[in-house]
Amino acid sequence: MNGEIAVKGSIKPTAINKKNADTQKNTKAEQKTAWGYRHSGYYALKVLLTVSGFVIAIITNIAFPQKAAVEIKTYIINAFGLSLSLTMNDAYIFILTVLILIYLGAGIRSLSDKVRRKLYCKNAAFRFALGIALAVWDIGGTKLQFFAQPFFPGPAQVIEAYLSDGSYIVQNTLYSLRLYAAGFSCGVLLGVGTGILIGWFPKVYYWVFPILKITGVVPAVAWMPFALTLLPNSFTAAVFLIVICAWFQIAFLTAQGIQSTPKQNYEAARILGSSQLDLIFHVAIPHAMPDIFTGITSANAMAFTTLVMSEMLGQPGGLGYYINQSKVWSAYYKVLAAIVIMAVLFSLINHFIGLVQKRTLRWQEGVLKK
């Protein structure tokens, strides 16, 4: 009896200790979870981290002395009925201030949205590093110029291109957008249409797919001599090159998506009385949509590259033309200014395609791994 009591007495404290250890462990886990993007203090630090990099870039531009011999011109900007006198440093500080206000506004807007709040916290470190990189670039490219000149001008010098050639840059940007819109939209329509025909009809596959494989591997720019000779003007020739560039990628992946549709989907649709057109438009094409958007996204990058190359080789305008023109005069700050616009435009186009894809493939929410 005494032995049993001793055993029971030894077991009870051990169970209590284990329970206390589990409780402490859960409490620590809850505290660790609490100190995350949902915590107000944590979120405030992330907002501060986001804007502090750009604040450091502004302080660096103002406080660091100008050692290198860089001519700082004053430009008169007329906007909204006002006449403003700006130097390249003033414009640079203005853009950094706008970025600070944008990210502060985004931080306030994301307060009530869990997904945006988490994403904002995730990108805070990168934004801080971007501000520090701008400060280092400003010192190395403008203040001291220990980077190779004139190939690596500072950010303020790049912004100077918008002050000196603002209207001309806008004109060339609009030309590029018009050329890209005409070529890429035609390429998407032709690519999706060809892919559906190849993927659904065996005879079309037999005759067209070999041509697609042969012409698809040839770089679009290689067709430029023929395009310039056979087509009426350089604009239509550039449109043709962009169409060819986008057509192969989109058609190939669309056909692949149509052909990979499971047979049981067709059988179930036939049981419900679907016609052949119903099978194409309500079974095959919806199943192929992920592949179609993959082809459009891949073709977008290739089409943008083809656009710039065609503008460099034979267009009377466009950002590629502006880069080529600036390179002749060794105005590399203007080259970088055009590259910045290209990066922004390409990001916006990709973002728009992503929004359309998210809307079209909204059934994938919660199904696919993020």
Side-chain angles (χ1 to χ4, degrees):
M1 178 68 70
N2 293 335
E4 291 177 1
I5 294 172
V7 170
K8 291 179 181 178
S10 63
I11 292 173
K12 191 173 182 181
T14 305
I16 293 173
N17 292 336
K18 185 178 180 182
K19 184 177 180 181
N20 291 337
D22 292 340
T23 304
Q24 292 176 358
K25 185 177 180 181
N26 293 333
T27 303
K28 289 180 180 179
E30 289 175 0
Q31 291 175 350
K32 186 177 180 182
T33 303
W35 184 248
Y37 68 93
R38 298 181 183 179
H39 194 279
S40 299
Y42 179 88
Y43 188 70
L45 286 176
K46 288 296 184 179
V47 173
L48 181 62
L49 181 67
T50 293
V51 302
S52 59
F54 300 107
V55 172
I56 292 172
I58 292 175
I59 294 172
T60 301
N61 183 265
I62 295 173
F64 202 94
Q66 181 67 47
K67 298 290 186 181
V70 176
E71 183 181 2
I72 300 178
K73 300 177 182 178
T74 301
Y75 297 90
I76 306 298
I77 306 298
N78 297 312
F80 305 106
L82 299 175
S83 183
L84 302 174
S85 298
L86 292 176
T87 64
M88 62 181 188
N89 286 325
D90 295 333
Y92 175 56
I93 292 171
F94 174 76
I95 289 177
L96 290 175
T97 304
V98 170
L99 286 174
I100 290 172
L101 294 176
I102 288 173
Y103 286 127
L104 283 175
I108 295 171
R109 185 187 176 192
S110 303
L111 270 172
S112 57
D113 191 319
K114 184 177 72 172
V115 176
R116 287 180 178 174
R117 189 165 175 160
K118 185 177 181 180
L119 184 62
Y120 189 93
C121 292
K122 181 181 178 182
N123 294 331
F126 177 82
R127 291 163 182 164
F128 173 77
L130 178 61
I132 299 301
L134 287 172
V136 173
W137 183 19
D138 189 23
I139 294 172
T142 304
K143 301 294 184 179
L144 301 179
Q145 286 195 338
F146 57 73
F147 295 153
Q149 297 298 321
F151 305 104
F152 299 102
Q157 293 170 280
V158 173
I159 292 173
E160 186 179 13
Y162 305 127
L163 297 176
S164 61
D165 286 350
S167 59
Y168 190 50
I169 291 175
V170 170
Q171 178 184 341
N172 284 289
T173 302
L174 292 176
Y175 186 92
S176 291
L177 286 174
R178 185 163 63 97
L179 182 58
Y180 175 83
F184 190 66
S185 58
C186 292
V188 170
L189 293 175
L190 183 62
V192 172
T194 306
I196 292 171
L197 292 175
I198 291 173
W200 186 262
F201 298 102
K203 289 185 178 180
V204 178
Y205 178 87
Y206 178 82
W207 291 105
V208 178
F209 191 70
I211 300 173
L212 181 69
K213 287 197 298 183
I214 294 171
T215 58
V217 297
V218 178
V221 182
W223 298 102
M224 181 168 285
F226 302 98
L228 291 173
T229 304
L230 299 175
L231 295 172
N233 53 58
S234 60
F235 185 86
T236 53
V239 168
F240 170 77
L241 296 179
I242 296 172
V243 169
I244 289 294
C245 176
W247 172 65
F248 165 73
Q249 193 81 11
I250 298 172
F252 183 81
L253 287 173
T254 301
Q256 190 177 55
I258 296 291
Q259 291 175 340
S260 64
T261 305
K263 288 184 178 180
Q264 56 264 33
N265 293 6
Y266 296 127
E267 292 171 359
R270 287 191 184 98
I271 291 172
L272 295 174
S274 297
S275 63
Q276 187 173 19
L277 286 178
D278 291 329
L279 294 178
I280 295 174
F281 288 101
H282 297 124
V283 179
I285 294 178
H287 180 271
M289 274 297 173
D291 294 292
I292 292 173
F293 276 105
T294 301
I296 290 173
T297 305
S298 303
N300 180 42
M302 298 172 65
F304 211 84
T305 304
T306 303
L307 166 73
V308 176
M309 294 181 68
S310 64
E311 288 174 343
M312 285 183 171
L313 295 176
Q315 292 298 308
L319 291 171
Y321 172 80
Y322 181 77
I323 288 175
N324 215 29
Q325 192 179 48
S326 301
K327 184 182 65 175
V328 171
W329 296 98
S330 297
Y332 288 96
Y333 69 100
K334 294 183 179 182
V335 173
L336 287 175
I339 290 174
V340 169
I341 293 177
M342 287 179 187
V344 172
L345 286 178
F346 182 72
S347 299
L348 290 175
I349 293 169
N350 258 348
H351 180 67
F352 176 74
I353 293 174
L355 290 177
V356 176
Q357 179 177 0
K358 184 177 180 181
R359 175 68 180 171
T360 306
L361 304 180
R362 55 189 180 276
W363 55 268
Q364 290 183 337
E365 291 292 330
V367 177
L368 299 181
K369 182 181 180 298
K370 292 290 185 181

